Amino acid sequence: AQSVTQLGSHVSVSEGALVLLRCNYSSSVPPYLFWYVQYPNQGLQLLLKYTTGATLVKGINGFEAEFKKSETSFHLTKPSAHMSDAAEYFCAVRKSSGDKLTFGTGTRLAVRP
Amino acid sequence: GAGVSQTPSNKVTEKGKYVELRCDPISGHTALYWYRQSLGQGPEFLIYFQGTGAADDSGLPNDRFFAVRPEGSVSTLKIQRTERGDSAVYLCASSQGARNNEQFFGPGTRLTVL
């Protein structure tokens, strides 16, 4: 079975500050890992994904995440927050041989002016 | 091109009633997924179609829930004898195949059972 833990249901940062959203996973097989963003009244949008290869993954809107197998983590970062980054962020895992996504409970990011 | 669309965007019903939620996937996408997102939670998998057949329905909570995809495109999620606990946002996603392909999500249908 797979699961995802997102530490911190709410994170608040100042505009221009570093964004760090934490995600830890458990998986009995090599996982594929994803970060999705959800803006109000919109569908989930893929930010980035890790499948195989380079462990540092760059995504859209300046976000990146690093897969650390030894720590079973896939934390999401952005060097400088923008007001437009305010949204809910979901980490998800999928078995490399599977299909369905297992999501964390989400982290709501607020950006202060 | 058009993304995944879901109708209705909002549905309010009374306990015990029957509801149908529709999903129109991206044209040409063979895989279709249904998820349910309760308040304050992440989406939870319900069922996955590859073509017309349900490849994995292990997430359906009970036999009141059923989904079809008769022509391998549009899918309908059907809920019988709705209960207040069924209130949630129901999300649909599609992908070109399964496995390595990105799932594109629709905006969801917000179901409220009074």
Side-chain angles (χ1 to χ4, degrees), chain A residues 10 27 32-33 54 63 95 111:
Chain A
H10 290 81
S27 178
Y32 289 174
L33 295 159
F63 285 93
K95 289 193 295 186
V111 182

Side-chain angles (χ1 to χ4, degrees), chain A residues 32 90 94 99-101 104, chain B residues 35 37 58 98-100 103:
Chain A
Y32 289 174
F90 292 94
R94 194 185 79 205
D99 309 296
K100 61 190 176 189
L101 293 165
Chain B
Y35 294 84
Q37 186 174 15
S58 62
R99 310 217 165 160
N100 291 333
Q103 294 181 25

Side-chain angles (χ1 to χ4, degrees), chain B residues 3 6 12-13 22-23 30-31 37 42 57 75-76 80 84 97 109 112:
Chain B
Q6 294 186 245
V12 180
T13 190
R22 176 186 169 110
C23 172
T30 59
Q37 186 174 15
D57 65 357
S75 175
T76 304
Q80 298 177 320
R84 293 193 178 90
T109 293
T112 302

Side-chain angles (χ1 to χ4, degrees), chain A residues 32 34 36 38 41-46 49 51 88 90 94 96-106, chain B residues 33 35 37 40-45 48 56 58-59 91 98-108 110:
Chain A
Y32 289 174
F34 305 80
Y36 282 85
Q38 188 175 37
N41 300 316
Q42 293 188 29
L44 292 161
Q45 181 182 5
L46 182 66
K49 65 180 179 182
T51 54
E88 186 139 28
F90 292 94
R94 194 185 79 205
S96 56
S97 59
D99 309 296
K100 61 190 176 189
L101 293 165
T102 299
F103 287 88
T105 52
Chain B
Y33 306 79
Y35 294 84
Q37 186 174 15
Q41 301 296 316
E44 293 178 307
F45 170 78
Y48 151 57
D56 183 353
S58 62
L91 298 170
R99 310 217 165 160
N100 291 333
N101 293 306
E102 177 184 348
Q103 294 181 25
F104 293 83
F105 282 80
R110 182 176 298 278

Side-chain angles (χ1 to χ4, degrees), chain B residues 63-94:
Chain B
D63 61 5
R64 295 187 298 105
F65 288 74
F66 189 71
V68 296
R69 197 186 184 200
E71 298 178 358
S73 178
V74 170
S75 175
T76 304
L77 178 66
K78 307 181 181 195
I79 310 173
Q80 298 177 320
R81 305 183 304 281
T82 52
E83 299 177 357
R84 293 193 178 90
D86 299 334
S87 296
V89 176
Y90 289 81
L91 298 170
C92 177
S94 70

